[in-house]
């Protein structure tokens, strides 16, 4: 479950071809183990539907039993080949249609608030948290918090409140998640559907990667109390949303691939052996040039620690937008 203050979780990342999850670390309150403890965590295997790959962010200290998001080398290779193929197809389509590629993008956002009942503990968060989340996204993606400016801005289109105990908490990879999304998803490939609620397994959130064909599972799931002003200590400034949407726009974690290979496919994010938690200033886990990118939105540090995307990530997101999500 998402945000239980006594449940230690860690942000994990796994990503797979389609879904990304962000696990929420609940713990926080004083019980967070040192970051090094996490790298020693045993690898966990979990069966997941072949068509649903997730990338999860977990809370520091929490040990999620299900880490849907670790992308294997083969999965990354598959995704990169798909991107190349999508780019070729779109280039041909645009040439035929006389259309250009987009340089700036306003993303319509439909927010689904999943509630168990009408209480705050039952998921009934106020609209003010949602409007604050949109503000945080616009600051993060415009570079106003210190990173590179990206092409993206976000416009709240609708808040849809749904009371359904069968969908609460939202369980990653469950048939209930599929039922929820199939019933609720709105808009085209360019519409961001954000599902808010209590989450399973200490997760902070998860998201889908872009695909050529629109899929009802497309969207991001975020712990409602991770929104700005929420109760998820250390993860309540809205950067879970920022991180998950990064996946929705085709970004990998900064620690993808560890110290070797092409890593996260972005040249200006220094290689990182494993996720960073809390805010370990000066951490340097690979011999390659550069300290670990612990302030990057695509790592697993506290919200107070992360504040930037890089120019390379901005470019990767826009390329993927034009390949997959542009009309
Ligand atoms: Zn992630």
């Amino acid at each position: 479950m998402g945000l239980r203050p006594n449940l230690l979780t860690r942000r994990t990342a796994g990503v797979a071809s389609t879904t990304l999850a962000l696990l929420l670390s609940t713990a926080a309150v004083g019980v967070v183990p040192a970051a090094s403890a996490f790298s020693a965590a045993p690898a966990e295997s979990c069966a997941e539907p072949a068509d649903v790959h997730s990338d999860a962010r977990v809370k520091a200290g929490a040990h999620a039993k299900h880490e849907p998001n670790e992308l294997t080398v083969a999965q990354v290779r598959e995704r990169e080949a798909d991107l190349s193929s999508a780019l070729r197809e779109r280039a041909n389509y645009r040439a035929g249609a006389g259309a250009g590629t987009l340089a700036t993008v306003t993303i319509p956002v439909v927010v689904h608030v999943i509630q168990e009942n009408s209480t705050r503990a039952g998921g009934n968060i106020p609209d003010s948290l949602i409007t604050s989340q949109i503000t945080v996204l616009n600051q993060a993606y415009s570079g106003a918090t210190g990173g590179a400016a990206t092409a993206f801005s976000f416009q709240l289109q609708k808040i849809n409140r749904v009371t359904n105990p069968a969908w609460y908490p939202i369980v990653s990879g469950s048939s209930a998640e599929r039922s929820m999304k199939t019933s609720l998803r709105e808009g085209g490939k360019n519409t961001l559907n954000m599902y808010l609620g209590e989450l399973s397994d200490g997760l902070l959130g998860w998201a889908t990667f872009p695909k050529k064909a629109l899929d009802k599972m497309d969207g991001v799931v975020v712990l409602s109390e991770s929104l700005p002003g929420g109760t998820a200590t250390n993860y309540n400034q809205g950067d879970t949303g920022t991180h998950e949407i990064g996946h929705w726009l085709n970004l990998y974690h900064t620690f993808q691939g560890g110290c070797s290979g092409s890593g996260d496919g972005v040249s200006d994010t220094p290689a990182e052996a494993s996720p960073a938690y809390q805010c370990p200033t000066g951490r340097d886990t690979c011999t390659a040039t550069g300290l670990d990118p612990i302030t990057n939105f695509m790592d697993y540090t506290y919200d107070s620690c992360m504040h930037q995307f890089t120019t390379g990530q901005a470019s990767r997101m826009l390329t993927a937008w034009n390949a997959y999500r542009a009309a």
Side-chain angles (χ1 to χ4, degrees):
M1 325 256 110
L3 232 208
R4 299 273 161 85
N6 49 359
L7 202 216
L8 270 200
T9 333
R10 60 177 181 139
R11 294 172 167 196
T12 328
V15 181
S17 32
T18 318
T19 322
L20 313 153
L22 172 56
L23 264 287
L24 169 44
S25 76
T26 17
V29 207
V31 205
V32 184
S36 57
F38 298 112
S39 53
E44 291 164 315
S45 60
C46 59
E48 58 181 353
D51 62 332
V52 180
H53 296 289
S54 306
D55 165 25
R57 185 189 185 202
V58 250
K59 293 178 173 182
H63 190 87
K65 72 179 169 68
H66 180 88
E67 299 181 4
N69 305 9
E70 293 293 340
L71 278 194
T72 64
V73 171
Q75 286 171 324
V76 168
R77 192 180 301 127
E78 183 185 331
R79 281 211 53 79
E80 294 308 294
D82 190 75
L83 176 59
S84 297
S85 157
L87 284 171
R88 282 193 302 274
E89 291 173 19
R90 297 295 292 180
N92 291 337
Y93 164 79
R94 288 207 183 78
T101 55
L102 296 172
T104 61
V105 179
T106 300
I107 299 176
V109 183
V110 176
V111 175
H112 307 279
V113 181
I114 309 302
Q115 303 175 200
E116 183 173 39
N117 53 50
S118 62
T119 67
R120 175 70 179 257
N124 186 14
I125 55 168
D127 285 0
S128 59
L129 265 68
I130 296 166
T131 53
S132 293
Q133 178 68 67
I134 299 295
T135 298
V136 165
L137 294 175
N138 282 320
Q139 290 171 340
Y141 282 83
S142 68
T145 56
T150 77
F152 304 98
S153 62
F154 300 85
Q155 189 166 60
L156 181 61
Q157 186 167 293
K158 178 180 181 179
I159 297 175
N160 176 35
R161 292 182 178 273
V162 180
T163 299
N164 186 344
W167 294 341
Y168 196 95
I170 305 171
V171 180
S172 175
S174 68
S175 57
E177 181 195 9
R178 180 167 292 278
S179 169
M180 173 190 78
K181 289 181 168 179
T182 301
S183 300
L184 303 181
R185 196 192 185 287
E186 296 185 19
K189 293 166 75 174
N190 66 324
T191 301
L192 172 63
N193 280 250
M194 182 179 284
Y195 303 87
L196 305 178
E198 174 72 349
L199 309 184
S200 66
D201 304 323
L203 290 167
L204 287 162
W206 61 89
T208 55
F209 285 106
K211 295 168 66 174
K212 290 179 184 175
L214 180 59
D215 182 318
K216 280 287 192 182
M217 297 301 285
D218 181 80
V220 304
V221 178
V222 172
L223 178 71
S224 53
E225 295 292 353
S226 76
L227 269 56
T231 60
T233 307
N234 294 319
Y235 303 98
N236 58 356
Q237 294 180 29
D239 289 331
T240 291
T242 306
H243 175 109
E244 295 307 334
I245 293 166
H247 288 309
W248 188 76
L249 293 170
N250 210 39
L251 293 185
Y252 298 131
H253 293 126
T254 49
F255 47 88
Q256 177 64 46
C259 296
S260 60
S262 57
D264 61 359
V266 175
S267 62
D268 58 2
T269 52
E272 183 176 33
S274 59
Y277 296 96
Q278 304 176 50
C279 197
T281 304
R283 186 178 190 256
D284 190 6
T285 55
C286 295
T287 55
T289 304
L291 297 177
D292 291 1
I294 65 165
T295 60
N296 195 281
F297 288 123
M298 301 314 292
D299 205 340
Y300 274 179
T301 51
Y302 287 160
D303 283 9
S304 58
C305 189
M306 53 173 61
H307 60 84
Q308 63 175 333
F309 288 116
T310 65
T311 300
Q313 287 174 318
S315 173
R316 180 177 168 84
M317 288 189 276
L318 183 57
T319 296
W321 184 273
N322 283 308
Y324 291 114
R325 297 196 184 276

